[in-house]
Amino acid sequence: MPISLAEARSIYTLTIDQIFTDKLPPISPFTSLAKPTFTNSKEVGWDTRRFIEGIAIDQPRGGDGQRNNFGKATEKITIPPFFHLNFDITQMQHYDRFWSLSGSTIEMDVLDAIVDETSEKLVILADKIRRAKELMWCDIMKSGIYVSNHSGTYDFGRLAASKEDIGVVYGAERYWNSSSPTILADLIRGAKFIRTYGKARVNTMIPVICGERALTTILSSDEIKANIAISQNAFDRVRIQMPQLDAAGFTTHGLVAAGNYTFVIMGYTETYDASSTSQGIPYWDDDYVVMMAPNTPLTTKHAGVPAIKRDMSNAEFSEYISFVGGEFTTDNFIDAKAKAHQFEIMSAFIAVPTAVDQIFTMKVTTEQGGQQV
Amino acid sequence: MSGITQRNLGANLAAFDYESDSLFLFNNTTIQGTYTNSSGSEVTIEKGTMMGRNNTTNKFELFDSTSSTSYDGSVGLALEKYVVANGASLTVTLVNGGEVRRDGIVLIGNSEADTLTTVVDGNTIEDILIQRCVGLILKTSFENTKLDN
């Protein structure tokens, strides 16, 4: 005899002894590199002072000397994109049992269940916002431009020279998975850009974060293989090892030397789901690599969000709205007309590459192996 | 050029470029005189604009390499910005001595065609400035900072 739906739902005849959930806290490698800052104001700003690596010119004795000036600085101000998610706890199954099981008294186990469920759903929504933050960082690392759905474009002004499509600039045969790749020369060019335009000390180890196709291409390339052969003769220019997951979430594969620079070859494996049928989309494009100065100042700037403040001792204004700061702000309120009890979570932030010229991005492979689409 | 320039980098991202560079640098001296605007329309005299005295009228005019009347007497650089209505007369103060930032000098008398190296009656405009003032020193400077992208 089949088990009826009434039995399946009953708390008297059934015990659920295991719950499986594939809810995963997001790993956010790029976000992990950025320092978070918080303010409760709606707008956030920062200043940059950039200098020229000038050379002093000798002057005649008894003369005036060279006049110097330090007159230029730039301030940037932004209203970050606003992330605002909510859900209705009156739609959760525990909610009905919460109030109806025994009339006016609340059963503690059901209360526990609904508190657990509500907080779990809030964490799931917070994780969605964290994924949006990681995707925002990927946009910044790829192009320096974040395109918001509702608050326009945020263009951090990365120079065109810091965003190369190798096939467009040098010809399709120069893609790393095409006929005439020059991987080491391309890496050196990126390091020089970071050094000369970004004013960064880059003769230490420069992270090269690779999309999946770019990574497999590097590791199987003839240039790297040739250096491996040299290394075996104790001229150590390449050291590829088993992948290691680092604390931020990148996979580290080893070191490659090119010119005066040492590059840390890193992979990026994280994905997100666009919908229940569109899953496993990589945050970071398979065909791109990004290089950056070690310790480049990256900042995730969080602004304030409008929240309901309640003060029941205040008869005239028992509720009011004010800006509050933080990574996430949660709130709940009841719609008396729809009989809905909504919980919401809010966050406003922008990924800021404070030193814009310390990042260098290249499109280095194509799906077609070097054929332009 | 001192001031603040706003650049929009998107609907909700703006950059404000701050630039400060003094024009009159050190130990400056001034003279005063009258400027009468008979051009037919309002005239804006920017700070640092070169002016010269017309000996016939004893008034200052905008320095113009093509007009002999504007450089036959003393010359100087406007100490501040003046906006003069058509037909109006104004007392202007001109810097005629001390250190001045060379690239801040404004030459608008000949529809901005003049430069400091333009030759007028055998002298460059720079030399006219030096000769007809009481010790004007034109200084170049090295800018060590730059604006963000």
Side-chain angles (χ1 to χ4, degrees), chain A residues 71-73, chain B residues 1-5 16-21 143 147:
Chain A
K72 296 181 179 175
Chain B
M1 184 69 181
S2 299
I4 306 172
T5 309
F16 297 86
D17 293 332
Y18 288 81
E19 296 182 64
S20 71
D21 202 356
E143 175 60 58
L147 301 171

Side-chain angles (χ1 to χ4, degrees), chain A residues 120-353:
Chain A
E120 180 193 48
K121 301 299 182 283
L122 280 172
V123 169
I124 288 173
L125 295 185
D127 286 348
K128 282 185 77 166
I129 295 175
R130 289 192 179 101
R131 290 189 194 97
K133 190 180 289 180
E134 178 66 7
L135 193 56
M136 181 189 286
W137 266 117
C138 286
D139 288 346
I140 297 300
M141 288 298 178
K142 187 175 173 184
S143 65
I145 299 170
Y146 174 70
V147 180
S148 153
N149 271 336
H150 295 285
S151 47
T153 298
Y154 296 78
D155 184 348
F156 289 93
R158 283 182 54 187
L159 296 175
S162 76
K163 300 182 284 183
E164 280 187 354
D165 182 332
I166 285 183
V168 171
V169 179
Y170 302 105
E173 71 282 0
R174 283 278 294 273
Y175 280 126
W176 292 0
N177 57 350
S178 185
S179 57
S180 308
T182 56
I183 296 178
L184 300 183
D186 293 340
L187 291 176
I188 291 171
R189 196 171 57 253
K192 279 188 173 173
F193 179 89
I194 293 169
R195 174 67 193 88
T196 52
Y197 289 87
K199 305 293 176 214
R201 290 272 173 255
V202 291
N203 43 3
T204 54
M205 294 190 183
I206 306 167
V208 181
I209 295 156
C210 307
E212 191 169 312
R213 190 174 298 115
L215 179 72
T216 52
T217 306
I218 287 185
L219 296 180
S220 62
S221 75
D222 290 341
E223 283 185 88
I224 301 300
K225 283 176 186 167
N227 273 351
I228 288 174
I230 292 170
S231 295
Q232 287 167 346
N233 292 317
F235 181 63
D236 202 0
R237 298 291 283 175
V238 63
R239 190 178 297 165
I240 303 295
Q241 297 159 328
M242 294 294 283
Q244 287 189 319
L245 187 66
D246 70 12
F250 298 108
T251 53
T252 305
H253 295 263
L255 306 174
V256 171
N260 288 308
Y261 311 100
T262 305
F263 299 94
V264 187
I265 306 300
M266 301 167 88
Y268 188 109
T269 56
E270 291 305 309
T271 61
Y272 65 92
D273 298 338
S275 70
S276 62
T277 54
S278 174
Q279 294 184 295
I281 302 167
Y283 287 97
W284 184 252
D285 196 307
D286 284 347
D287 293 316
Y288 281 76
V289 301
V290 62
M291 304 158 58
M292 66 189 87
N295 305 320
T296 184
L298 307 173
T299 316
T300 309
K301 295 189 186 299
H302 296 80
V305 297
I308 306 169
K309 294 286 188 68
R310 295 182 175 91
D311 177 9
M312 292 308 172
S313 65
N314 186 331
E316 192 173 3
F317 297 109
S318 58
E319 286 187 337
Y320 57 96
I321 311 293
S322 83
F323 272 86
V324 295
E327 186 174 17
F328 298 107
T329 300
T330 63
D331 219 333
N332 74 94
F333 50 89
I334 286 176
D335 180 346
K337 194 173 174 186
K339 309 294 183 291
H341 189 170
Q342 287 207 335
F343 276 70
E344 64 178 357
I345 184 165
M346 296 172 283
S347 187
F349 55 83
I350 185 73
V352 177

Side-chain angles (χ1 to χ4, degrees), chain A residues 46 48 50-52 54 64-79 151-157 159 354 356-357, chain B residues 1 7-23 25 99 101 137 139-149:
Chain A
W46 63 100
T48 55
R50 305 191 58 178
F51 291 90
I52 291 163
D64 283 353
Q66 182 196 48
R67 180 174 185 266
N68 279 265
N69 199 38
F70 300 87
K72 296 181 179 175
T74 300
E75 179 182 7
K76 290 180 178 170
I77 297 174
T78 182
I79 302 174
S151 47
T153 298
Y154 296 78
D155 184 348
F156 289 93
L159 296 175
T354 314
V356 282
D357 291 338
Chain B
M1 184 69 181
R7 291 182 285 134
N8 287 323
L9 307 175
N12 283 312
L13 176 62
F16 297 86
D17 293 332
Y18 288 81
E19 296 182 64
S20 71
D21 202 356
S22 298
L23 179 59
L25 304 176
E99 293 183 3
R101 182 163 57 85
I137 304 165
K139 298 281 286 189
T140 55
S141 64
F142 187 87
E143 175 60 58
N144 290 279
T145 54
K146 67 172 193 167
L147 301 171
D148 202 6
N149 301 353

Side-chain angles (χ1 to χ4, degrees), chain B residues 130-141:
Chain B
I130 294 169
Q131 292 162 6
R132 299 281 179 85
C133 289
V134 293
L136 201 65
I137 304 165
L138 307 189
K139 298 281 286 189
T140 55
S141 64

Side-chain angles (χ1 to χ4, degrees), chain A residues 2-52:
Chain A
I3 297 171
S4 70
L5 185 60
E7 278 182 293
R9 288 175 63 90
S10 166
I11 62 170
Y12 300 110
T13 59
L14 171 70
T15 301
I16 300 288
D17 73 347
Q18 190 181 19
I19 296 173
F20 167 75
T21 169
D22 59 0
K23 171 175 72 71
L24 269 181
I27 296 173
S28 306
F30 280 122
T31 308
S32 305
L33 300 179
K35 175 188 172 189
T37 63
F38 304 95
T39 173
N40 57 5
S41 60
K42 184 180 177 182
E43 298 180 1
V44 201
W46 63 100
D47 283 350
T48 55
R49 295 177 188 175
R50 305 191 58 178
F51 291 90
I52 291 163

Side-chain angles (χ1 to χ4, degrees), chain B residues 20-40:
Chain B
S20 71
D21 202 356
S22 298
L23 179 59
F24 303 118
L25 304 176
F26 199 77
N27 205 21
N28 298 114
T29 59
T30 58
I31 50 172
Q32 287 191 326
T34 305
Y35 171 77
T36 299
N37 178 7
S38 53
S39 67

